């Protein structure tokens, strides 16, 4: 028995490694919109002092309660039948001439599938790495990897910035580290008919830069300006813009997600001497670490082996049929309930 266990464990481990290798070499995988995933992703890239917080309501006071907020990441369902809904109309914002923006302003066109989440994150981080008189926020410490990437792409047009991002091995590897593993399929390859039949979701960023609220959407030709804005009025301003955007969707559409990019809440708790808040944030980080470790694992093979073991025991007891009938009855009961 120990030899058999060692054999299937080795096969599962080999399969997981192969899946991860495929994800690392084939392209950009889909990642979950989750505060723990996003926080760990940017920390793996070397970013310091930043975390993500999910916002469960469109409430300016909730945003303001988070302290230093650099921007928000908005996830929404992309409606192919009514493409105008997916983008800001001229009444909501004004396209910005890229030539009027400083060279340090980061905006990249999306040139590859599944990278929009990380691209939206970088659209906030890379525009807040220097002091801003308008926002009076502490600049974000990008770390060597992202600092080098921004230095390299400074002055590039947005399409070349997008190409540079999609070809960055370090950023892609950090992104793909949170792809769901599968021992059966390469999740980096989308089904041929997914674009026609499956739901597609898209990430964009809203952030105040140089006294203006910008919508940064890699599918747009340029940044969208939503008028004057600094850190003090950002919560009200961005909620107003989001409410207008969501109002264009059918009332039955509720699949939206909003994430705030904030200064590490542990830093604020320590500065205020709030030990209870600090302990809460440390427990939250421990929970994120546990959840992310589960995301990197695949339990299909393990469950299969457990099921085979239980079935073998039931066969030896001669109670397989009774076991199956009891399971069917329980399933039917749950469906009726």
């Amino acid at each position: 028995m120990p030899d058999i266990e060692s054999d299937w464990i080795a096969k599962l481990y080999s399969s997981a490694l192969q899946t991860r290798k495929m994800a690392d070499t084939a392209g950009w995988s889909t990642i979950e919109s989750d505060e723990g995933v996003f926080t760990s992703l940017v920390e793996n890239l070397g970013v310091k002092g930043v975390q993500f917080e999910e916002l469960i309501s469109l409430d300016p006071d909730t945003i303001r309660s988070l302290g230093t907020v650099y921007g928000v990441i908005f996830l929404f369902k992309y409606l192919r039948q009514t493409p105008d809904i997916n983008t800001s109309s001229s009444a909501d914002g004004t396209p910005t001439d890229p030539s009027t923006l400083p060279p340090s302003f980061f905006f990249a066109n999306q040139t590859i599938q599944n990278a929009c989440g990380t691209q939206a994150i970088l659209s906030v981080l890379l525009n807040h790495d220097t002091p801003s008189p308008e926002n009076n926020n502490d600049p974000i410490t990008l770390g060597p990897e992202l600092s080098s990437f921004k230095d390299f792409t400074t002055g590039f047009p947005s399409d070349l910035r997008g190409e540079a991002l999609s070809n960055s091995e370090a950023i892609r590897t950090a992104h793909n580290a949170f792809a769901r593993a599968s021992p059966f399929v390469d999740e980096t390859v989308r089904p041929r008919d997914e674009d026609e039949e499956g739901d597609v979701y898209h990430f964009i960023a809203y952030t105040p830069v140089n006294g203006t609220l910008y919508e940064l959407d890699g599918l747009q030709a340029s940044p969208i300006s939503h008028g004057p804005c600094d850190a003090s009025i950002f919560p009200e301003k961005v909620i107003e813009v989001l409410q207008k955007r969501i109002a264009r969707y059918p009332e039955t559409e509720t699949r939206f997600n909003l994430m705030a990019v904030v200064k590490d809440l542990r830093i604020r708790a320590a500065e205020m001497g709030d030990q209870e808040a600090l302990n809460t944030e440390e427990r939250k980080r421990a929970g994120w670490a546990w959840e992310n470790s589960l995301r990197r694992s695949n339990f299909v093979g393990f469950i299969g082996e457990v099921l085979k073991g239980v079935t073998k025991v039931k066969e030896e007891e001669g109670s397989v049929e009774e076991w199956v009938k009891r399971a069917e009855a329980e399933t039917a009961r749950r469906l009726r309930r």
Side-chain angles (χ1 to χ4, degrees):
M1 186 63 179
D3 291 339
I4 296 176
E5 288 182 347
S6 298
D7 182 60
W8 70 258
I9 289 175
K11 288 181 179 179
L12 283 176
Y13 182 67
S14 175
S15 175
L17 288 179
Q18 181 64 24
T19 301
R20 183 60 58 201
K21 182 178 179 181
M22 293 165 68
D24 285 343
T25 58
W28 294 68
S29 303
T30 302
I31 62 173
E32 185 178 351
S33 178
D34 178 85
E35 54 191 4
V37 168
F38 286 0
T39 300
S40 297
L41 191 159
V42 301
E43 288 179 346
N44 289 348
L45 284 169
V47 177
K48 304 293 184 183
V50 170
Q51 74 179 67
F52 292 77
E53 283 290 307
E54 185 173 5
L55 301 172
I56 60 176
S57 65
L58 293 178
D59 177 19
D61 289 338
T62 300
I63 297 178
R64 185 168 284 106
S65 70
L66 296 172
T68 299
V69 180
Y70 298 102
V72 298
I73 308 297
F74 182 55
L75 172 68
F76 59 94
K77 183 179 178 182
Y78 198 92
L79 300 180
R80 304 181 191 86
Q81 299 85 353
T82 52
D84 290 343
I85 286 181
N86 305 309
T87 60
S88 291
S89 66
S90 58
D92 293 338
T94 305
T96 303
D97 182 353
S99 65
T100 64
L101 297 171
S104 61
F105 188 98
F106 182 84
F107 174 75
N109 294 132
Q110 184 178 331
T111 63
I112 191 170
Q113 287 180 333
N114 300 331
C116 61
T118 295
Q119 184 158 330
I121 292 170
L122 296 184
S123 293
V124 175
L125 300 182
L126 298 186
N127 281 308
H128 289 276
D129 60 325
T130 57
S132 171
E134 295 86 358
N135 293 335
N136 195 29
N137 287 338
D138 295 332
I140 294 174
T141 302
L142 296 179
E145 190 63 51
L146 290 185
S147 294
S148 296
F149 174 77
K150 184 174 182 180
D151 290 343
F152 174 70
T153 58
T154 295
F156 282 16
S158 56
D159 56 345
L160 286 184
R161 276 189 173 138
E163 288 292 340
L165 174 58
S166 64
N167 289 313
S168 170
E169 182 177 353
I171 297 175
R172 177 172 52 82
T173 299
H175 171 101
N176 285 348
F178 296 94
R180 294 185 181 275
S182 170
F184 304 118
V185 298
D186 177 6
E187 295 185 353
T188 66
V189 178
R190 299 176 66 186
R192 181 174 300 177
D193 61 347
E194 182 176 333
D195 286 335
E196 287 73 27
E197 298 181 2
D199 291 336
V200 176
Y201 294 87
H202 185 54
F203 292 90
I204 61 175
Y206 291 91
T207 184
V209 183
N210 298 331
T212 299
L213 174 60
Y214 287 103
E215 174 186 325
L216 303 176
D217 179 355
L219 297 181
Q220 300 300 309
S222 63
I224 304 296
S225 168
H226 289 281
C229 180
D230 58 22
S232 65
I233 64 171
F234 173 71
E236 286 81 10
K237 187 77 173 181
V238 73
I239 292 301
E240 177 185 349
V241 172
L242 288 170
Q243 286 175 335
K244 289 181 180 179
R245 186 180 192 119
I246 292 173
R248 295 203 297 268
Y249 280 77
E251 292 183 359
T252 55
E253 181 57 60
T254 60
R255 287 167 289 185
F256 303 100
N257 183 261
L258 188 63
M259 207 82 63
V261 189
V262 306
K263 184 178 179 180
D264 191 332
L265 296 180
R266 295 175 300 178
I267 297 176
R268 185 174 67 159
E271 292 174 345
M272 297 173 61
D274 190 339
Q275 189 61 43
E276 182 178 353
L278 182 58
N279 292 339
T280 298
E281 291 302 318
E282 292 292 358
R283 288 194 295 270
K284 183 192 300 181
R285 293 295 183 119
W288 289 348
W290 170 247
E291 292 169 0
N292 288 336
S293 68
L294 295 180
R295 288 184 175 94
R296 296 187 180 95
S297 304
N298 185 280
F299 300 99
V300 173
F302 173 76
I303 294 171
E305 293 299 321
V306 170
L307 183 60
K308 286 193 290 184
V310 173
T311 303
K312 182 178 179 180
V313 171
K314 295 296 182 181
E315 288 176 343
E316 293 174 350
E317 295 175 349
S319 59
V320 173
E321 291 186 7
E322 179 186 352
W323 179 50
V324 172
K325 288 181 180 178
R326 189 164 62 247
E328 290 175 343
E330 178 63 19
T331 300
R333 185 184 68 82
R334 291 180 177 178
L335 288 174
R336 287 195 301 271
R337 185 174 63 182

